[in-house]
Amino acid sequence: MYFTRFSAILGSSQSFTPSSSPGPKSLEARGMEDNLPVNVREYQELAEKALPKMYYDYINGGAEDEHTLRENIAAYGRILLRPRVLIDVSKINMSTSLLGYDMSSPIMVAPTGAHKLANPEGEVATARAAAACNTIMVLSFASSCKIEEVASSCNAIRFYQLYVYKRRDVSATLVRRAESLGFKAIVLTVDTPVLGRREADIRNKMIFPQPGNVVDLMSLDNDLGAEGGSKLEQFARETLDPSLSWKDVEWLKSITSLPILLKGIVTAEDARKAVEAGAAGVIVSNHGARQLDYAPATISALEEVVKAVAGAVPVLVDGGVRRGTDVFKALALGAKAVMVGRPVFFGLAARGEAGARHVIEMLKNELELAMALCGCRSVAEVTRAHVLTEGDRIRALL
């Protein structure tokens, strides 16, 4: 169970060779490999030490005042658990399925770009970590590694994250490539008609590598990164389409037979529209708080979206998950699964593939423990009655 698996994980390690400057520093060189982190926060601390400031700020930063960035995490802390006791929890089953595909737990890898900023093996290492944990990875359009490299790295169920570009032929080509390589679903990001103002990247004049899957399909300005901006900002201005609308969901459905999940929904109104548009799933996401500051924390928006969807399609959530208890709270509020992005990035920066795998396994172990202590033997037994939200406490006073 929990303790046996955790001991096995702690006993495993895998080193990596750091890239040439700038890039993460080897933790082994600092004698830290025998003192492994015990939670995501400690992995974040190691990642900050290992990465150049420009890269760490890019990975960890949010939009403008970063209010929503802080709230994504803090909002989980305001939800309390309601444990049930005297239930036989000698066997815990965390397995679940999404769109008919089985996972060992309801913890998936969210799409985040440019993993080679954290480790030379990039998304190939992340894909192997996800496969080893028997979970689904969503490959970002902005991956450092090409779709073909990730597809051939290991056998696993994977989804592909997509933006609809000004040039629709580029988006269509990426969809065809993903479909031909066995990706099982398309995750369309819908909250980025324009790029949010990420002031740390502007301040650092962030040098963002052109995504490996796009560079061969577009002619881009090689001098991106002028004064007053960042490469990422200017890349977005050249490629993202502010005219993106619900008609583009119809267009995407017309060019692929893969199920399409919409990522970036935070309101009941858009959730209902997503179902009407034929989405196979909805992902409650504020883009890791990197787009619109003062948007709601995703865990705060989750229940509204779940109620609006009314069971028509699965609802997922990302943003702010740092503990297995966070996963438990999301399940209790109606999520089918959670997606984690930054924590996996932190693990990758600190210890390469082994670190990314360890982060996923730690969250799984924490979830298993939370389920046992709350009297839940399977994810199906995690219900709304197991949590107490701020809204519940306010209503109790009325």
Side-chain angles (χ1 to χ4, degrees), residues 163 192-198 201 230 232-234 236-237 240 287 290-291:
Y163 284 79
T192 314
V194 295
L195 194 71
R197 182 175 174 81
R198 303 168 190 179
D201 294 341
S230 70
L232 184 59
E233 265 196 311
Q234 295 186 44
R237 281 198 295 270
L240 298 180
H287 213 105
R290 297 161 72 81
Q291 281 295 99

Coordinates of all heavy atoms in Angstrom, one line a residue, residues 163 192-198 201 230 232-234 236-237 240 287 290-291:
Y163 N -3.4 25.1 -29.9 CA -3.9 26.4 -30.0 C -4.4 26.5 -31.5 O -3.9 25.9 -32.4 CB -2.8 27.5 -29.8 CG -2.5 27.7 -28.4 CD1 -1.6 26.8 -27.7 CD2 -2.9 28.8 -27.7 CE1 -1.3 27.1 -26.4 CE2 -2.6 29.1 -26.4 CZ -1.7 28.2 -25.7 OH -1.4 28.4 -24.4
T192 N -6.7 31.9 -24.5 CA -5.6 32.6 -24.9 C -5.7 33.2 -26.3 O -4.9 32.9 -27.2 CB -4.3 31.8 -24.8 OG1 -4.3 31.0 -23.6 CG2 -3.0 32.6 -24.9
P193 N -6.7 34.1 -26.5 CA -6.8 34.8 -27.8 C -5.6 35.8 -27.9 O -5.2 36.1 -29.1 CB -8.1 35.5 -27.8 CG -8.4 35.7 -26.3 CD -7.8 34.5 -25.6
V194 N -5.2 36.3 -26.8 CA -4.0 37.1 -26.7 C -3.2 36.6 -25.4 O -3.8 36.0 -24.6 CB -4.3 38.6 -26.6 CG1 -4.9 39.1 -27.9 CG2 -5.2 38.9 -25.4
L195 N -2.0 37.0 -25.4 CA -1.2 36.6 -24.2 C -1.4 37.5 -23.0 O -1.4 38.7 -23.2 CB 0.3 36.5 -24.6 CG 1.2 35.8 -23.6 CD1 1.0 34.3 -23.7 CD2 2.7 36.1 -23.9
G196 N -1.5 36.9 -21.8 CA -1.5 37.7 -20.6 C -0.2 38.4 -20.4 O 0.8 38.1 -20.9
R197 N -0.3 39.5 -19.5 CA 0.9 40.3 -19.2 C 1.7 39.6 -18.1 O 1.3 39.7 -16.9 CB 0.5 41.7 -18.9 CG 1.7 42.6 -18.6 CD 1.2 44.0 -18.3 NE 2.3 44.9 -17.9 CZ 3.2 45.5 -18.8 NH1 3.1 45.2 -20.1 NH2 4.2 46.2 -18.3
R198 N 2.8 39.0 -18.5 CA 3.6 38.3 -17.5 C 4.9 39.1 -17.3 O 5.8 39.1 -18.0 CB 4.0 36.9 -18.1 CG 2.7 36.1 -18.4 CD 3.0 34.9 -19.2 NE 1.7 34.3 -19.7 CZ 1.6 33.2 -20.4 NH1 2.7 32.5 -20.8 NH2 0.4 32.7 -20.8
D201 N 8.6 37.9 -17.1 CA 9.2 37.6 -18.4 C 9.6 38.9 -19.1 O 10.6 38.9 -19.8 CB 8.2 36.8 -19.3 CG 7.9 35.4 -18.7 OD1 8.7 34.9 -17.9 OD2 6.9 34.8 -19.1
S230 N 9.3 40.5 -24.4 CA 9.9 39.2 -24.3 C 9.7 38.4 -25.5 O 8.8 38.7 -26.3 CB 9.3 38.4 -23.1 OG 8.0 38.0 -23.3
L232 N 8.5 35.5 -25.8 CA 7.2 34.9 -25.7 C 6.1 35.8 -26.2 O 5.2 35.4 -26.9 CB 7.0 34.4 -24.3 CG 5.7 33.6 -24.1 CD1 5.6 32.3 -25.0 CD2 5.6 33.2 -22.6
E233 N 6.1 37.0 -25.7 CA 5.1 38.0 -26.0 C 5.1 38.2 -27.6 O 4.0 38.2 -28.2 CB 5.5 39.4 -25.4 CG 4.8 39.7 -24.1 CD 4.9 41.2 -23.8 OE1 6.1 41.7 -23.9 OE2 3.9 41.8 -23.4
Q234 N 6.2 38.4 -28.2 CA 6.2 38.6 -29.6 C 5.9 37.4 -30.4 O 5.2 37.5 -31.4 CB 7.6 39.2 -30.0 CG 7.9 40.5 -29.3 CD 9.2 41.2 -29.8 OE1 9.5 41.2 -31.0 NE2 10.0 41.7 -28.9
A236 N 3.7 35.2 -29.4 CA 2.3 35.2 -29.3 C 1.6 36.2 -30.2 O 0.6 35.8 -30.9 CB 1.9 35.4 -27.9
R237 N 2.1 37.4 -30.4 CA 1.5 38.4 -31.2 C 1.6 37.9 -32.7 O 0.6 38.2 -33.5 CB 2.3 39.7 -31.1 CG 1.8 40.5 -29.9 CD 2.2 42.0 -30.0 NE 3.7 42.1 -30.1 CZ 4.5 42.3 -29.0 NH1 3.9 42.4 -27.8 NH2 5.7 42.5 -29.2
L240 N -0.9 33.8 -32.3 CA -2.2 33.6 -31.7 C -3.3 34.5 -32.4 O -3.0 35.6 -32.9 CB -2.2 34.0 -30.2 CG -1.3 33.2 -29.3 CD1 -1.4 33.6 -27.9 CD2 -1.6 31.7 -29.4
H287 N -5.2 28.9 -16.8 CA -3.9 28.9 -17.5 C -2.8 29.1 -16.5 O -1.8 29.8 -16.7 CB -3.8 30.0 -18.5 CG -3.0 29.7 -19.7 ND1 -3.5 29.4 -20.9 CD2 -1.6 29.7 -19.9 CE1 -2.5 29.2 -21.8 NE2 -1.4 29.3 -21.2
R290 N -1.7 32.6 -15.5 CA -0.7 33.3 -16.4 C -1.4 34.2 -17.4 O -0.8 34.8 -18.2 CB 0.1 32.2 -17.1 CG 1.0 31.4 -16.1 CD 1.5 30.1 -16.8 NE 2.5 30.3 -17.8 CZ 3.8 30.5 -17.5 NH1 4.2 30.6 -16.2 NH2 4.7 30.7 -18.4
Q291 N -2.8 34.2 -17.4 CA -3.5 35.0 -18.4 C -4.1 36.2 -17.8 O -3.6 37.3 -17.9 CB -4.5 34.1 -19.1 CG -3.9 33.2 -20.2 CD -3.3 34.1 -21.3 OE1 -2.1 34.3 -21.4 NE2 -4.2 34.5 -22.2

